[in-house]
Amino acid sequence: MVIAALPLPGTAVEPAVEHTAAVTHRRPRRLEAEVAAAFDRFWAAYPKRVAKQDARKAWNQIANDPDVDLDEIIAGAGRYRDDGQRRRGGSRYTAHPGTWLRQGRWLDELTSHTPEPQLSTADLRVRDGLAVAAKFEAMEERGEI
């Protein structure tokens, strides 16, 4: 027969085993609304808006990493959109957004630093007209007309 000792009334029973758990400090996960709003900003900045569900899936996977700066990704999408070399190639050579995200392309160094200025038709006509006027002025100074 085994006799167990019962604690006296008003006394606390201490556990026989000490529990020492390592405390890990994790960054809190982003809120779903924050991730969705950031994706919408990314989608607006990205130059090729195709395969949205695939892009959202890739975005959500990346957003689970608290060390990734979502604003940096959005800024990278803007740089990619404005990259002159990509623009010359047209949308045919623009990466799909999900692929771009999975490959971490926001970290790429782009070769062209400034986009080429896009002149409107009116601006082109004004530029050409000024060039013609300069030619006539030079011809007039030389006495050719």
Side-chain angles (χ1 to χ4, degrees):
M1 178 177 208
V2 176
I3 300 175
L6 296 173
L8 296 173
T11 62
V13 178
E14 293 186 25
V17 179
E18 280 188 39
H19 294 285
T20 56
V23 177
T24 58
H25 297 284
R26 293 185 182 190
R27 292 184 184 181
R29 291 184 66 145
R30 292 182 174 99
L31 298 175
E32 189 174 323
E34 176 189 356
V35 172
F39 175 78
D40 290 340
R41 290 194 321 272
F42 164 77
W43 191 254
Y46 199 77
K48 188 173 191 175
R49 294 182 187 99
V50 296
K52 189 172 187 176
Q53 292 306 315
D54 181 51
R56 188 181 304 275
K57 181 179 176 183
W59 180 266
N60 289 337
Q61 289 172 343
I62 292 167
N64 282 335
D65 183 351
D67 294 327
V68 173
D69 183 359
L70 299 181
D71 289 327
E72 183 181 335
I73 297 173
I74 295 166
R79 287 190 305 273
Y80 184 59
R81 176 195 62 220
D82 298 337
D83 180 44
Q85 184 175 358
R86 184 205 58 79
R87 289 171 56 190
R88 280 189 293 279
S91 65
R92 180 177 178 191
Y93 299 107
T94 300
H96 281 221
T99 303
W100 188 86
L101 287 166
R102 279 190 289 281
Q103 292 177 349
R105 305 269 304 269
W106 65 90
L107 301 170
D108 289 355
E109 286 187 32
L110 302 176
T111 55
S112 62
H113 299 290
T114 56
E116 296 177 8
Q118 297 294 317
L119 297 176
S120 68
T121 303
D123 290 337
L124 292 171
R125 288 181 178 159
V126 168
R127 183 191 65 191
D128 293 345
L130 291 173
V132 169
K135 286 181 185 179
F136 276 110
E137 187 177 335
M139 289 172 62
E140 188 176 39
E141 287 177 0
R142 291 190 304 262
E144 296 176 6
I145 53 171

